[in-house]
Amino acid sequence: MPTIAPRWDLLPCDDIATASLAAALKIDPAVARLLCQRGLSDPELAGRFLKPCLDHLHDPMLLADMAVAVDRIMAALARRERIAIHGDYDVDGVTSTVILRRALELMGGDVVHFLPERLRDGYGLQPVAIERLHAAGVALIISVDCGIRGADAARRARELGVDLIITDHHEPDTELPPALAVINPKRHDCTYPDKYLAGVGVALKLVQALCRRAGREHLLPGFIKVAAIGTLADVVPLVGENRVIAKLGLDLLTKGPHKVGLRALLDVAGLTGKTIDSYHIGFLVAPRVNAAGRMSSPDIAARLLLAGDEAMADEARQLALQLDGENVRRQDEEAEILAAAKKIVQTDPDIGARSILVVAGEGWHRGVIGIVASKLVDAFHRPAIVLSVEGDIAHGSCRSISRFDMLGALERCAPLLTRFGGHRQAAGLTLDAGRIKHLRLAMNEVADETLGPEDLMPRLVIDGDLTFRGITGGVAAGVALLAPFGAGNPRPVFAARGVEIIDGPRKLKERHLKMALKQDGRIFRAVAWRAAERHDYLTEHKAALDVAFSLEQNQYNGETYVELTLADLKSSGS
């Protein structure tokens, strides 16, 4: 629950379109409203959204350069050339590497992979990695989740006589790298209908094309469940093909069976036998996979997910436990740095009173400063830059709010920076440590031109009012059909007015609140996560509250019941 009380913004909706869609699909109007608000008022589009299937995946050959890439890979397989997959150190890059390597090995390929280490190798496709792979006898390199700005690496590959295929989903430069093939739906000359695939989604399209060419399309579902992990972790919009990948992948992750490595990962995450949803991937599975790249080597996670032989059960268990340990270490580092960063914001007015929070610390672990920046944004609803100072150099990670273009601001401050890159909402940078104060001033000058007090006020988007009498099993089941939730498809939030707390609020683990709520004779159990500090306020106003909530379906003793997860509460009429 936000530390700063948010303003509630009620989403508008076309009542006529809602009624028409509810009648066409025979669904509750509350669910039809949600679909219309997501731009799905057409019954056919809404139906496909509610029930995605493999047939909804586009033809992979629609991607520019896909035919060239498939021809070259099939030739390499036929000639038994050594193929290298060059990935990235995050979950998207690791899962991309895993599915493409496994697919090529199933087709008889001689395949190796290379995952750069964050602190040693830096980010992206580098000429030195091309040289290393060439020296190992590699004739064909395929990048996944990186390479679109790797022009120097592509030129080095050409000089060495190594064919390079780039698959990526990041924004390209005005000119593409001089590679044999560049597969990226964001290419300006690419007419592919879905532009928002994660890196692993682009890798999956290559796998789909290869399976089709080799007559092995039956293998595709096995790759989709690993692709779902990378897609959900990379926070891409969960619409179009991303939704197909995420929804089908979660179903397959729940059903099993799994190879020994994936099974060990799910077991260590406490998910054996559970219905796996986007929350489990985002908060239990992905952090463990990510911890390898943040704290040590991403190859630990890749080796685990590639483990397929039952004879490797003990080794897979040890790798999964190693990831678990790295994740605990990551959490400890993160908590320590976050506490220090918050203290700086709260005690130094030159930092905390500004529109952009720019905080720095000696030796802060570079693997976690991005998470810390995200948590500062959540806590203070301001863009945040967190810098790790190592000698004369500062490495920074930036996160923003929806109303501020972080990359655009960095471009205006470029003379102060050694290097930078990223997106509107997330970016990275390096600069001389002596210029941190100058960066703070310059970024805040940009922010003061573009951000006003309203922009720095947190907002809670309310999909619609829903009385407790309107919360039926059909509505809850209909809302569940819209899952998985995430970017581009947020979990629906409803509002109910004039609600009474009849039991509680009671503190849960000193961080959360549990209570029973009543409106118009109906009672629901509710949980407010990370809201313990609001205990006294809710006790004082328990007779009449407006509540913002999402619906959760839980099971107990074989019975399904609805519980409310509270996004915010305020006294009625406030």
Side-chain angles (χ1 to χ4, degrees):
M1 189 166 288
T3 52
I4 304 170
R7 192 177 89 179
W8 292 13
D9 286 346
L10 186 65
L11 275 184
C13 190
D14 184 332
D15 292 337
I16 295 173
T18 294
S20 176
L21 185 63
L25 295 184
K26 296 181 173 59
I27 56 177
D28 191 282
V31 180
R33 176 189 172 98
L34 296 171
L35 290 165
C36 289
Q37 287 169 326
R38 284 154 176 73
L40 298 164
S41 57
D42 177 82
E44 184 183 350
L45 288 177
R48 287 167 67 96
F49 184 86
L50 292 174
K51 295 182 179 178
C53 65
L54 272 180
D55 292 342
H56 293 166
L57 292 176
H58 300 301
D59 180 353
M61 304 312 288
L62 294 174
L63 280 156
D65 279 1
M66 182 64 83
V68 175
V70 172
D71 287 345
R72 179 64 185 90
I73 293 168
M74 295 306 290
L77 293 172
R79 295 196 289 257
R80 294 287 298 164
E81 293 175 321
R82 175 162 284 188
I83 304 170
I85 315 299
H86 184 302
D88 186 27
Y89 44 63
D90 65 2
V91 185
D92 194 13
V94 169
T95 52
S96 301
T97 302
V98 166
I99 66 167
L100 187 53
R101 175 165 182 170
R102 180 169 284 160
L104 294 175
E105 286 180 336
L106 287 170
M107 294 175 191
D110 175 12
V111 195
V112 296
H113 72 263
F114 171 75
L115 290 165
E117 294 190 9
R118 186 185 296 260
L119 303 184
R120 184 191 69 191
D121 302 305
Y123 172 76
L125 189 64
Q126 303 288 344
V128 66
I130 302 291
E131 292 165 0
R132 184 189 305 186
L133 294 171
H134 172 255
V138 169
L140 172 64
I141 297 171
I142 309 169
S143 80
V144 289
D145 191 36
C146 65
I148 196 62
R149 295 188 176 224
D152 290 343
R155 282 190 283 271
R156 187 62 181 134
R158 183 166 286 185
E159 289 167 4
L160 294 171
V162 176
D163 282 333
L164 172 65
I165 295 169
I166 290 172
T167 77
D168 201 351
H169 72 126
H170 295 98
E171 291 291 340
D173 272 332
T174 47
E175 286 190 25
L176 297 175
L180 175 71
V182 178
I183 301 172
N184 184 338
K186 290 195 176 83
R187 273 180 62 163
H188 306 302
D189 62 342
C190 182
T191 58
Y192 192 69
D194 200 322
K195 299 290 185 184
Y196 299 106
L197 291 168
V200 73
V202 181
L204 182 69
K205 300 309 294 185
L206 179 55
V207 169
Q208 183 188 3
L210 291 167
C211 286
R212 182 184 295 180
R213 180 73 69 89
R216 297 196 177 191
E217 289 179 277
H218 65 282
L219 296 175
L220 197 58
F223 300 115
I224 282 178
K225 61 186 175 185
V226 177
I229 295 172
T231 296
L232 289 162
D234 211 53
V235 201
V236 288
L238 293 181
V239 295
E241 285 192 301
N242 289 334
R243 176 170 172 80
V244 176
I245 293 165
K247 177 91 167 174
L248 299 185
L250 287 172
D251 289 345
L252 291 163
L253 285 166
T254 295
K255 289 175 186 171
H258 307 305
K259 298 290 186 185
V260 64
L262 179 56
R263 197 167 71 231
L265 175 61
L266 294 176
D267 188 52
V268 164
L271 295 175
T272 300
K274 291 191 175 178
T275 300
I276 297 174
D277 61 22
S278 56
Y279 171 84
H280 296 129
I281 299 300
F283 290 92
L284 298 177
V285 176
R288 286 171 166 82
V289 176
N290 241 339
R294 290 188 185 282
M295 307 306 293
S296 56
S297 169
D299 209 49
I300 302 167
R303 282 163 50 210
L304 175 63
L305 289 173
L306 284 165
D309 189 334
E310 287 299 324
M312 297 176 68
D314 288 343
E315 181 184 348
R317 178 74 180 169
Q318 288 308 309
L319 287 170
L321 289 171
Q322 191 175 351
L323 284 188
D324 203 49
E326 294 291 5
N327 192 46
V328 171
R329 192 159 71 91
R330 186 271 305 169
Q331 290 170 327
D332 292 343
E333 288 267 9
E334 177 195 316
E336 188 176 320
I337 295 170
L338 179 61
K342 280 186 173 180
K343 186 174 181 182
I344 292 170
V345 171
Q346 290 162 342
T347 59
D348 187 339
D350 288 339
I351 295 172
R354 304 305 302 268
S355 298
I356 296 184
L357 306 174
V358 182
V359 296
E362 286 280 348
W364 283 355
H365 198 294
R366 281 156 54 191
V368 301
I369 56 175
I371 308 174
V372 171
S374 292
K375 294 201 170 181
L376 290 180
V377 173
D378 291 342
F380 299 103
H381 200 71
R382 279 161 166 65
I385 301 175
V386 179
L387 296 147
S388 170
V389 180
E390 297 173 10
D392 296 330
I393 302 294
H395 299 269
S397 210
C398 318
R399 297 295 184 270
S400 195
I401 57 176
S402 61
R403 296 174 182 241
F404 186 72
D405 180 355
M406 181 64 77
L407 184 59
L410 291 176
E411 285 168 348
R412 290 182 58 181
C413 300
L416 292 170
L417 306 173
T418 309
R419 58 180 297 191
F420 67 95
H423 308 284
R424 280 182 59 91
Q425 299 298 295
L429 60 87
T430 58
L431 80 163
D432 292 339
R435 291 182 158 184
I436 291 174
K437 285 186 179 179
H438 300 97
L439 177 68
R440 183 179 294 123
L441 287 170
M443 288 293 287
N444 273 290
E445 282 179 12
V446 176
D448 291 344
E449 291 175 18
T450 55
L451 291 174
E454 280 284 303
D455 300 313
L456 299 175
M457 177 182 289
R459 284 171 162 76
L460 179 63
V461 174
I462 306 291
D463 290 275
D465 284 318
L466 184 64
T467 66
F468 281 14
R469 290 245 165 239
I471 302 173
T472 64
V475 169
V479 169
L481 278 178
L482 272 63
F485 301 116
N489 182 36
R491 184 180 297 277
V493 176
F494 303 101
R497 322 280 175 171
V499 173
E500 178 188 2
I501 299 178
I502 61 166
D503 181 21
R506 294 192 308 278
K507 289 187 179 179
L508 182 67
K509 297 181 179 178
E510 295 303 312
R511 295 181 63 205
H512 319 298
L513 295 175
K514 289 191 75 171
M515 63 199 82
L517 303 176
K518 182 178 181 181
Q519 184 201 50
D520 196 19
R522 291 203 73 194
I523 298 170
F524 285 95
R525 291 276 165 196
V527 177
W529 302 111
R530 294 176 297 282
E533 75 280 357
R534 302 193 67 185
H535 177 273
D536 293 347
Y537 173 85
L538 297 180
T539 300
E540 181 184 348
H541 297 283
K542 65 191 300 180
L545 289 162
D546 294 348
V547 299
F549 62 92
S550 53
L551 300 175
E552 302 286 344
Q553 284 186 304
N554 294 317
Q555 292 189 329
Y556 183 73
N557 285 343
E559 294 283 319
T560 299
Y561 65 97
V562 177
E563 189 173 80
L564 311 185
T565 296
L566 299 172
D568 195 25
L569 307 94
K570 57 187 181 181
S571 65
S572 292
S574 66

